[in-house]
Amino acid sequence: MTVVTRFAPSPTGYLHIGGARTALYNWLFAKHHQRHGAGGKFYLRIEDTDRARSTQAAVDAIYAGLEWLGLDWDGDPISQFERADTHRAAAERLLAEGKAYKCYCSPEELTAMREAARKEGRQRMYDGTWRDRDPSEAPAGVDPVIRMKAPLEGETVIDDLVQGRVTVANAQLDDMVLLRADGTPTYMLAVVVDDHDMGITHVIRGDDHLTNAFRQTQLYLALGWDTPTFAHIPLIHGPDGAKLSKRHGALGVEAYRDDGFLPEALRNYLLRLGWSHGDDEIISTDQAIEWFGLENVGKSAARFDVTKLTSLNGHYIREADNARLTDLVMERLQAAYPGRLAKEAQDRLFKGMTGLKERAKTISELSENAIFYALQRPIPKTEKAQQQLGADGAALLRDLRPVLDATETWRDEALMAAAKGFGEAGGLKLGAVAQPVRAALTGSTVSPSVFEIMDVLGREETLGRLDDALAGL
RNA sequence: GUCCCCAUCGUCUAGCCCGGCCUAGGACACCUCCCUUUCACGGAGGAGACAGGGGUUCGAAUCCCCUUGGGGACGCCA
């Protein structure tokens, strides 16, 4: 059987981290079956039936977020709103079959029912007032909603691939609204009709939908359709242990991009948050497709931990292609230092990237660390660097300069040998020689190897920077 | 409040389904040391958990029950 999954966000904001993980799992599950089963499809459906809260900007943000994460979907995205007529037809059919009815309750009556239910400790809110009432008693001038006639007795069972068998007494569930008074379909109806029509075989979504799944199961039954297989994955919690949601500080994936995270790192982190494959931590996307299955999804909620994401990101940066990293850094530096970059910036960054990338855990950090390569002379210096360039440092640099200049081949090994010889002659350790040089060349006390830096900068620029330092610039 | 779900180091987790191989493994973070021109990287160690209580059993992190704690859902939102 071909596996068909979907990601169905509502466009009321960016793609947040929880949604991203849900999308990832759906995508991975489909890809896995594409490779090993009878095929797999992953669809995107925009749940935009709430016209007041849905925006095109949010839809675009969701597309952009998924694209950045590398989660491609099959076919064109489906707009739930555009399928309203189909949803309505399903409700009309249930009405005609006597499986749904018109309810004329006013909002005030419903509020009263809700309060009464809560006071009496009942979960079931709507009391079924219009369930068997004669439609001729309908009040004039009131547009009714259509409610489903849900079973009053027995129980509804879901065999969830993650949660196991979950059962609820039907007495707990009231008659859900299918069509609103204005004739528009509700989410509950739309989801069921869409999932059925799209041929969704596996509904993989957040745990917060588990109770909806009971109602939806009843709806599938009423419509005479087979239910899809459900897999309710645990939610991601914030550091405080509560559901991570948009109105609770969850950031959009683009915020992680802006903070300097790589999409492959986020994928790896999100994958591992709630799913495991033994002790494996670093898992490539290809390997994830190979291994992913719902049976290894954990049942308990997980807290989002940026520190671990950061560590993973450091790993992927070290693995990343130098040209790609150079582009990412250039983009940031150009924005941060308009007109101040040396014309050799790109070239130097690329040459120095190997030394740079193993010292950074995010692209932001990498860019920070790379500034000295990109900026035109003179290089700004930190306070600590300034201290390295005091009287002693300056004297050392003055003596070292001609030694370096005398080095025939301007390469890191030769330069290091020259510096070593210089140090030994003066009874200095290499570190004592390197620090002032580092301060002069980078304006900092922390950097990649100073000899590698000299190599990248070249003779002229290196000596120029030494001269700047000696001139007190 | 009612219903549903969950419960292993600070965090993510392996182990649990099919009890013994678990003096509970890995990763992140933390501490120490090594490497070393700084910082990282890398390497070697360390500290750190089966929520509590009952059962079942020769034996329980693993099975059952209760308690406690946490979470989610209870809309003419999605």
Side-chain angles (χ1 to χ4, degrees), chain A residues 83-388:
Chain A
R83 292 181 33 84
D85 289 344
T86 308
H87 305 148
R88 204 169 295 121
E92 301 290 352
R93 195 185 106 207
L94 290 179
L95 195 59
E97 292 172 357
K99 293 172 179 169
Y101 61 94
K102 293 178 180 177
C103 165
Y104 295 87
C105 285
S106 67
E108 294 72 33
E109 287 175 285
L110 292 173
T111 305
M113 281 181 211
R114 192 170 306 133
E115 281 168 6
R118 196 155 294 212
K119 192 174 292 175
E120 292 164 33
R122 284 182 289 117
Q123 157 107 334
R124 192 184 182 116
M125 187 272 286
Y126 182 67
D127 64 6
T129 301
W130 288 91
R131 188 180 167 106
D132 299 306
R133 200 155 155 190
D134 195 321
S136 65
E137 293 176 39
V142 174
D143 290 325
V145 301
I146 306 295
R147 283 182 188 272
M148 189 183 91
K149 218 176 251 183
L152 299 172
E153 293 170 352
E155 50 190 26
T156 297
V157 178
I158 294 168
D159 279 307
D160 192 282
L161 252 30
V162 172
Q163 304 292 334
R165 170 165 291 205
V166 188
T167 305
V168 75
N170 287 334
Q172 293 292 333
L173 274 17
D174 63 10
D175 293 343
M176 71 188 116
V177 172
L178 266 22
L179 289 186
R180 301 187 183 95
D182 64 3
T184 58
T186 59
Y187 160 78
M188 215 57 92
L189 206 219
V191 167
V192 168
V193 173
D194 286 347
D195 282 341
H196 171 265
D197 289 358
M198 289 165 72
I200 303 300
T201 60
H202 296 258
V203 172
I204 304 169
R205 66 205 336 177
D207 205 330
D208 50 343
H209 285 281
L210 186 60
T211 47
N212 289 333
F214 291 119
R215 296 193 137 84
Q216 287 160 14
T217 297
Q218 294 184 337
L219 235 188
Y220 275 103
L221 249 46
L223 287 164
W225 297 336
D226 287 337
T227 54
T229 300
F230 291 106
H232 288 92
I233 61 179
L235 299 177
I236 297 177
H237 286 175
D240 64 344
K243 177 181 176 180
L244 197 60
S245 66
K246 286 174 204 165
R247 47 250 135 200
H248 176 259
L251 302 173
V253 292
E254 73 283 351
Y256 291 93
R257 180 200 56 209
D258 294 346
D259 281 349
F261 291 100
L262 258 20
E264 59 266 41
L266 198 54
R267 276 197 303 262
N268 193 152
Y269 178 72
L270 255 17
L271 170 70
R272 200 62 191 65
L273 197 64
W275 176 89
S276 61
H277 183 268
D279 283 340
D280 295 305
E281 296 286 348
I282 306 287
I283 303 167
S284 71
T285 298
D286 183 68
Q287 197 60 259
I289 291 171
E290 199 65 24
W291 287 338
F292 191 78
L294 266 3
E295 60 283 353
N296 294 318
V297 175
K299 295 177 83 172
S300 51
R303 296 190 190 201
F304 189 82
D305 180 21
V306 196
T307 318
K308 187 155 183 178
L309 204 210
T310 305
S311 162
L312 230 24
N313 202 55
H315 168 84
Y316 283 102
I317 284 181
R318 271 172 261 134
E319 261 191 0
D321 179 69
N322 288 354
R324 174 188 175 201
L325 294 175
T326 301
D327 287 345
L328 288 171
V329 169
M330 271 305 277
E331 197 180 306
R332 283 168 186 255
L333 260 25
Q334 271 163 346
Y337 300 93
R340 293 177 55 193
L341 300 192
K343 63 180 192 305
E344 302 90 343
Q346 170 108 17
D347 192 41
R348 290 184 198 150
L349 250 24
F350 179 72
K351 281 187 191 148
M353 194 50 75
T354 300
L356 244 22
K357 70 180 180 184
E358 66 181 32
R359 291 173 169 78
K361 288 189 162 59
T362 64
I363 298 299
S364 325
E365 193 186 349
L366 183 65
S367 305
E368 282 288 308
N369 297 349
I371 291 172
F372 74 90
Y373 271 138
L375 249 31
Q376 294 168 6
R377 286 173 49 201
I379 302 297
K381 296 176 180 60
T382 65
E383 209 167 299
K384 282 186 176 176
Q386 207 69 258
Q387 285 166 17
Q388 285 290 333

Side-chain angles (χ1 to χ4, degrees), chain A residues 436-458:
Chain A
V437 176
R438 188 185 317 279
L441 297 183
T442 71
S444 164
T445 53
V446 174
S447 81
S449 157
V450 292
F451 307 108
E452 178 185 322
I453 291 170
M454 289 187 214
D455 195 330
V456 170
L457 290 178

Side-chain angles (χ1 to χ4, degrees), chain A residues 399-425:
Chain A
D399 295 342
L400 180 64
R401 189 192 187 285
V403 175
L404 291 175
D405 197 14
T407 306
E408 273 182 48
T409 47
W410 193 266
R411 297 298 309 278
D412 54 0
E413 315 89 60
L415 292 162
M416 179 156 93
K420 258 189 177 149
F422 171 82
E424 278 161 15

